[in-house]
Amino acid sequence: MRRVRLHPLDRKLLRDLWHIRGQALAIALVIAAGVGMFVMSRGMLLSLEHTRDAYYERYRFADLQAPVRRAPESLLERARELPSVRRAETRVRASALMDVPGMDAPVSAQLLSLPRDHRPAINDILLRRGRLPDPARADDIVLLESFAQAHALNPGDSLHAIVHGKRRRLQVVGIALSPEFIYAMAPGEIVPDPKRFGVGWMNREALAAALDLDGAFNELLVLQSRGARAPALIEALDDLLESYGGTGAYGREQQMSDRFLANEIQQLGVMAYLLPPIFLLVAAFLLHVVTARLIETEREQIGLLKAFGYSHRQVALHYMKFSGLITLTGLLLGGLIGQRLGQGLALLYMDYFKFPFLLFQAPASVYLSAAAISLLAAAAGSLRSTRAVIRLQAAVAMLPAAPLDYSRGRRASRQERRLPIDQPSRMILRHLRRWPLRAALTVTGMAMAMGLQIGASFSLDAMDHMIDVSFNLADRQDASLSFVEARHASALQELRRSPGVLHAEAYRAVPAILRNGTRRRHEAIVGRPAGAELSRLVDSSLRPVTLPEQGLVLSDKLAELLQLQVGDMVQLQITQGRRVQREVPVSAIVQSYLGTSASMSLEALNRLLAEDGQISGAHLLIDDKQVMLLFRHLKQLPAVAGIGLQDQMQRAFYDTLDESLGTFTFFNTLFATLIVVGVVYNSARVSLSERGRELASLRVLGLTRA
């Protein structure tokens, strides 16, 4: 075989790279970190979007959902005739309390109806195991897969549930997934916990009979026409359902599962476009330092090359190739790293979001974009050095470089002599003064690495602070329970007499629409009693907030979304009961770490609703020694719709943080370390190379290696 003959400049290029292989590898690793993060985050973003869109389309996830108290089935035809409605379907939804074998605490659940003779036209389910409910059997149920796995439930098993105050035995016949519950979370909670919240699908007739909704529905699902405007259709649906107790239609952006998924996709987008440039900027700086130093040490060689007939362009291209090969190595490593990290992240997301499948697929455009950005950074880093090569004439290049001139810093030198430092330290200060741009860029590179690490650590610390404030200062109850329907305040006395209850504190929650001009938000207005001790609001100084006798107290995020300030009037429309509409002043705005909230004093809310002492549930302080007695007692109460336990919620929150933030913190720490290694190693190598003669002179003068 014929040996491949390399061009002389190419052979020199390979020798130069081998000579500084440590520095080249450090730079390549920094580039690989940036490329890997870009490929991982951008590829995962596209994979999530593609999987979500395909899943939503195949199983016809609703564009709009419109809850209603009770509406006749005949109203469906009128809904289908509304402009821009492509498809509409009704269903029955019920809250339930499940008694799961092996689980002491009651489990909250959502039960949804399935049509008798066909698959759902909207919000279809993906059956993973078993079968659909038999139309002839009223107690057949299909469970959400995450809930079934958490309790080791399989087709053929049974469990008990309290549905609308009646206890019944349900037979598990199937396990399913749904685009509606990619991120399944109980109402009012902040993280999913499949042990404490489940979803089940039952026959329409059976569920309707349990809720006394024969021939009626309590939720309308709508698919819009392509390109239709959601606000106009929402307004039309609200007008249609208003007289039947409609609580306000809403789009996907306010559906809990889709909102969390959209937020995660948004964060991936920020990561894809914010973090990789940090690595590439550091790499550009390192390439600039290395190529500049290489050109400086090869001045005579450059002069000889030009004397032997090599053009300015050929010599400049030779040093551009030097940067290009290092960048190409980083690109290849980064592509492999990003692919492997993306596959690992897909497995993490499969556990986090309940998709039928999720494959990490970064299209060619992602790799091409990474290559283009990396090569652009490499060109920017080596451009100044190669311009110096082009301007360098052969005769000048073959002369020794002029020694460094420190005479212009006489004033600084006089100041240095007054400092109690040794001679090597003076050399360091003079060197930094001689190369201020290089010193500044080195500091900037280190600062970027520190910022990346501090940012990752800050997220964990911020979450710890948020959890401490939310669970230990604001919501200090052991458990929160909700009733099937609002009850008179005398129900609180019954709860206080329950076994194990040390203290009970009532609350009222009503769904409402808050409007400020064209801005509107669906929000639950929470009424809290005066002097609340268990569930309360705290200000930015972590002091309890006393609810005013009149007006709303908004969280800072909700006030920002509605563009409201203290003293402004907000239009409040209650969407249940008498559907009261009022203009209410904003009395205070408080900092909130979790979600958005709107609060009033319990007395003011009941006055607004023209109701006498109604409550929606209670917060409980429980005696640990009698907690099992209390659970058994609550499972027998038909009025209880759901129970949330603070310690389990907090534990689930920490588990979620460990899976998500812990992983990203590890990635950020690893990548920050690569930046530090690259910057420090290259700076040290270049400094030692430049100071080699001076350091040798110091050794001759008697200084030790130390």
Side-chain angles (χ1 to χ4, degrees):
M1 294 179 62
R2 294 182 58 187
R3 294 182 61 184
V4 178
R5 294 185 60 86
L6 294 175
H7 190 277
L9 286 181
D10 293 335
R11 289 201 296 272
K12 175 183 177 300
L13 174 62
L14 295 177
R15 285 196 301 269
D16 289 342
L17 282 173
W18 180 252
H19 180 66
I20 62 163
R21 55 189 178 276
Q23 291 173 266
L25 179 61
I27 298 172
L29 287 176
V30 173
I31 295 173
V35 171
M37 183 171 284
F38 179 80
V39 170
M40 176 190 72
S41 53
R42 181 63 180 165
M44 195 69 251
L45 184 149
L46 295 175
S47 298
L48 272 177
E49 287 182 334
H50 177 74
T51 303
R52 177 196 63 181
D53 295 344
Y55 194 23
Y56 283 3
E57 183 68 25
R58 180 172 296 180
Y59 292 92
R60 302 173 296 280
F61 182 43
D63 293 316
L64 300 174
Q65 295 179 229
V68 63
R69 183 175 179 82
R70 179 190 173 95
E73 191 65 24
S74 59
L75 207 64
L76 177 61
E77 291 304 319
R78 292 174 59 188
R80 287 172 174 167
E81 294 172 358
L82 292 175
S84 71
V85 171
R86 177 161 54 101
R87 185 177 292 179
E89 187 173 62
T90 64
R91 71 178 182 185
V92 174
R93 177 192 287 264
S95 296
L97 210 59
M98 288 190 173
D99 187 0
V100 182
M103 189 79 174
D104 295 320
V107 176
S108 301
Q110 288 283 324
L111 300 181
L112 304 169
S113 67
L114 291 173
R116 177 184 178 86
D117 53 356
H118 60 84
R119 297 293 293 266
I122 304 175
N123 285 5
D124 197 2
I125 62 174
L126 170 61
L127 198 64
R128 303 277 273 189
R129 285 184 290 146
R131 60 173 175 83
L132 293 175
D134 186 341
R137 297 176 58 89
D139 294 331
D140 283 359
I141 187 171
V142 174
L143 294 179
L144 186 67
E145 186 177 58
S146 57
F147 176 72
Q149 289 176 345
H151 294 282
L153 292 170
N154 296 291
D157 294 338
S158 63
L159 68 161
H160 289 86
I162 300 174
V163 185
H164 204 63
K166 296 180 181 179
R167 185 179 176 87
R168 57 193 302 175
R169 183 175 180 273
L170 301 176
Q171 187 75 25
V172 180
V173 298
I175 308 297
L177 291 174
S178 167
E180 189 176 1
F181 298 101
I182 292 174
Y183 194 83
M185 193 166 56
E189 298 199 359
I190 52 178
V191 291
D193 187 353
K195 273 189 168 295
R196 298 188 304 109
F197 175 70
V199 180
W201 291 267
M202 299 176 63
N203 282 316
R204 172 73 176 261
E205 290 80 1
L207 196 56
L211 272 69
D212 193 23
L213 287 174
D214 293 323
F217 65 91
N218 62 8
E219 190 168 38
L220 177 66
L221 307 177
V222 174
L223 289 176
Q224 293 184 112
S225 302
R226 305 289 183 185
R229 291 180 62 253
L233 183 53
I234 286 175
E235 188 173 346
L237 288 172
D238 288 347
D239 291 342
L240 177 66
L241 300 174
E242 182 177 5
S243 57
Y244 300 96
T247 58
Y250 57 90
R252 286 182 183 174
E253 70 282 354
Q254 292 190 11
Q255 199 269 346
M256 192 62 67
S257 173
D258 184 75
R259 182 192 296 183
F260 274 86
L261 181 56
N263 287 341
E264 190 64 32
I265 290 175
Q266 183 180 10
Q267 289 178 19
L268 279 174
V270 172
M271 182 188 295
Y273 293 109
L274 182 63
L275 296 182
I278 294 176
F279 296 92
L280 297 178
L281 285 172
V282 173
F285 154 63
L286 295 177
L287 285 171
H288 165 72
V289 172
V290 170
T291 53
R293 181 56 190 164
L294 185 64
I295 290 170
E296 185 65 27
T297 57
E298 293 185 349
R299 281 174 57 91
E300 295 181 4
Q301 296 180 35
I302 293 171
L304 286 172
L305 289 172
K306 291 187 175 183
F308 278 110
Y310 287 98
S311 65
H312 297 304
R313 178 178 172 276
Q314 288 176 307
V315 177
L317 184 60
H318 165 72
Y319 288 101
M320 291 293 289
K321 284 182 180 179
F322 176 84
S323 299
L325 278 177
I326 296 176
T327 304
L328 183 60
T329 304
L331 269 172
L332 294 176
L333 286 174
L336 293 174
I337 291 171
Q339 183 72 22
R340 294 303 299 271
L341 290 179
Q343 292 169 353
L345 191 59
L347 294 176
L348 178 64
Y349 275 132
M350 275 292 290
D351 189 50
Y352 196 61
F353 296 112
K354 305 306 177 184
F355 288 106
F357 62 88
L358 178 59
L359 298 177
F360 176 80
Q361 293 180 334
S365 59
V366 172
Y367 294 97
L368 291 175
S369 298
I373 297 170
S374 301
L375 292 173
L376 184 63
S382 54
L383 182 61
R384 184 176 178 183
S385 303
T386 52
R387 285 177 59 192
V389 171
I390 293 173
R391 292 198 300 266
L392 195 59
Q393 298 300 319
V396 177
M398 294 176 68
L399 295 173
L404 295 178
D405 181 12
Y406 292 107
S407 62
R408 289 174 293 179
R410 291 175 181 173
R411 182 177 179 182
S413 297
R414 287 195 297 269
Q415 294 174 347
E416 287 171 9
R417 285 195 291 271
R418 298 172 186 168
L419 297 175
I421 57 176
D422 55 15
Q423 190 60 35
S425 300
R426 297 181 195 277
M427 290 171 54
I428 293 171
L429 291 175
R430 291 173 185 174
H431 185 69
L432 292 175
R433 193 172 67 249
R434 175 64 181 175
W435 304 103
L437 179 60
R438 185 193 299 175
L441 291 176
T442 301
V443 172
T444 301
M446 295 290 291
M448 287 181 175
M450 289 296 293
L452 194 62
Q453 174 60 28
I454 290 172
S457 302
F458 169 78
S459 298
L460 291 175
D461 293 341
M463 286 296 178
D464 284 338
H465 177 69
M466 180 181 73
I467 292 173
D468 181 56
V469 171
S470 300
F471 290 96
N472 298 324
L473 293 177
D475 293 317
R476 305 188 297 172
Q477 67 273 15
D478 294 322
S480 299
L481 63 83
S482 58
F483 298 133
V484 175
E485 294 180 338
R487 298 173 64 84
H488 190 268
S490 59
L492 187 65
Q493 300 303 323
E494 297 178 22
L495 285 174
R496 287 173 175 164
R497 291 193 295 268
S498 299
V501 174
L502 300 177
H503 182 57
E505 191 174 270
Y507 72 88
R508 181 74 193 274
V510 294
I513 300 175
L514 282 71
R515 288 190 177 90
N516 180 31
T518 58
R519 297 176 177 270
R520 66 178 252 164
R521 290 281 298 182
H522 287 262
E523 201 69 47
I525 309 298
V526 179
R528 307 170 192 265
E533 296 179 357
L534 296 183
S535 180
R536 56 188 186 170
L537 299 175
V538 295
D539 59 19
S540 57
S541 300
L542 306 183
R543 293 174 301 197
V545 173
T546 302
L547 290 172
E549 295 182 0
Q550 299 289 337
L552 278 171
V553 178
L554 303 182
S555 65
D556 50 355
K557 185 60 179 179
L558 182 58
E560 177 188 338
L561 292 171
L562 292 172
Q563 292 189 350
L564 290 169
Q565 296 179 352
V566 175
D568 291 345
M569 302 297 290
V570 57
Q571 294 180 352
L572 182 64
Q573 178 184 347
I574 306 298
T575 57
Q576 74 174 28
R578 301 180 182 179
R579 305 180 69 84
V580 176
Q581 296 189 44
R582 294 282 190 277
E583 275 202 346
V584 180
V586 177
S587 300
I589 296 174
V590 297
Q591 187 177 21
S592 174
Y593 294 109
L594 298 175
T596 57
S597 66
S599 302
M600 296 181 74
S601 75
L602 182 58
E603 294 78 8
L605 182 57
N606 278 323
R607 283 198 304 271
L608 181 71
L609 299 172
E611 295 177 349
D612 180 24
Q614 296 291 303
I615 61 175
S616 302
H619 303 297
L620 307 178
L621 198 63
I622 302 173
D623 183 356
D624 293 338
K625 297 178 181 179
Q626 300 187 59
V627 66
M628 295 303 148
L629 286 175
L630 177 62
F631 287 159
R632 285 197 289 269
H633 175 70
L634 293 178
K635 288 178 182 179
Q636 306 303 318
L637 296 181
V640 176
I643 300 173
L645 301 176
Q646 288 294 96
D647 61 338
Q648 293 187 10
M649 191 187 306
Q650 188 170 354
R651 196 177 306 119
F653 200 100
Y654 273 118
D655 290 342
T656 302
L657 287 183
D658 290 341
E659 290 179 3
S660 55
L661 270 182
T663 301
F664 286 110
T665 300
F666 170 77
F667 287 157
N668 287 341
T669 302
L670 177 63
F671 292 149
T673 303
L674 289 176
I675 290 180
V676 171
V677 170
V679 172
V680 171
Y681 181 74
N682 276 278
S683 297
R685 290 283 303 188
V686 170
S687 296
L688 288 172
S689 174
E690 291 176 340
R691 308 259 65 85
R693 184 181 296 274
E694 297 174 8
L695 293 172
S697 300
L698 290 174
R699 289 294 310 284
V700 172
L701 292 173
L703 294 181
T704 65
R705 290 183 182 275

